[in-house]
Amino acid sequence: MAQINGYYITVESEDPQYAIDITDEPVEKGIDNTDHVQRKAVSMSISGFILGDNADEIRQSLLKSMNTGTIVNYDGRNYFTGLIESFSPKHDHKTANGFAFSMTLKEMRTAESSYVESLPAPVRAQTAPIISSGTKQTKKTSKSSDKEVEKVTFKSGSPWGDQ
């Protein structure tokens, strides 16, 4: 018995897949030079059965998680946190109170913001969000050629804010 996002499912097999990218560069003599190795995202294929009175509720929840890109937690023989990449339910005459399924989960890594507060003041000012985009000239609705000019404001602490 395994769990995915708190729902109990019966899993027959779990197939984790670990892979890397290896780049090769050709040379004049001998074998190619391998100069770079980069890890790919881990994925895991699982298959089994979703059974019981709430089988359709579990199916709808898994489809919603897949379509919205919600991170799921899988706890079986392997523990896995990631996205549902594919979900294939199989409804046939062999399973009366649910259905068979196969699913692929894929690892996801999210980017974290840098620690702007620990940077020196001039660098921090450059990485701070822009409050104003500069001087803007707007056209009047009348046909005159006069244009209004807006004053630019900068965030306090920036090299341009104290002028």
Side-chain angles (χ1 to χ4, degrees):
M1 197 60 109
Q3 277 189 333
I4 187 162
N5 276 2
Y7 292 110
Y8 286 100
I9 58 176
T10 304
V11 175
E12 290 182 321
S13 69
E14 299 176 1
D15 301 314
Q17 295 146 1
Y18 307 95
I20 59 172
D21 274 335
I22 301 173
T23 58
D24 292 328
E25 299 297 328
V27 294
E28 292 179 14
K29 293 182 181 179
I31 62 171
D32 294 346
N33 283 340
T34 301
D35 61 354
H36 185 72
V37 176
Q38 183 175 2
R39 186 177 77 84
K40 288 184 175 183
V42 176
S43 64
M44 183 167 66
S45 300
I46 59 175
S47 62
F49 295 92
I50 297 177
L51 306 169
D53 294 336
N54 64 344
D56 187 56
E57 174 189 340
I58 296 170
R59 182 177 63 88
Q60 292 298 329
S61 174
L62 293 174
L63 287 173
K64 182 179 178 185
S65 295
M66 181 181 73
N67 292 330
T68 58
T70 305
I71 296 174
V72 298
N73 294 315
Y74 173 78
D75 191 5
R77 297 195 102 184
N78 294 287
Y79 184 80
F80 196 91
T81 301
L83 300 172
I84 300 174
E85 186 175 29
S86 66
F87 178 71
S88 302
K90 180 180 178 184
H91 306 274
D92 59 10
H93 68 282
K94 296 178 183 177
T95 309
N97 61 343
F99 54 90
F101 76 95
S102 62
M103 178 188 311
T104 303
L105 302 171
K106 189 167 188 176
E107 176 186 31
M108 180 182 147
R109 186 170 37 170
T110 55
E112 296 178 9
S113 63
S114 64
Y115 296 96
V116 175
E117 293 79 23
S118 64
L119 297 172
V123 176
R124 184 176 39 221
Q126 292 175 358
T127 60
I130 298 172
I131 294 175
S132 174
S133 61
T135 304
K136 297 179 184 178
Q137 294 184 349
T138 58
K139 292 183 180 181
K140 289 185 177 180
T141 55
S142 65
K143 294 185 179 181
S144 69
S145 62
D146 296 335
K147 295 182 180 179
E148 296 177 14
V149 178
E150 295 178 13
K151 181 166 170 79
V152 178
T153 57
F154 294 97
K155 185 176 182 179
S156 62
S158 71
W160 307 280
D162 298 328
Q163 296 179 355

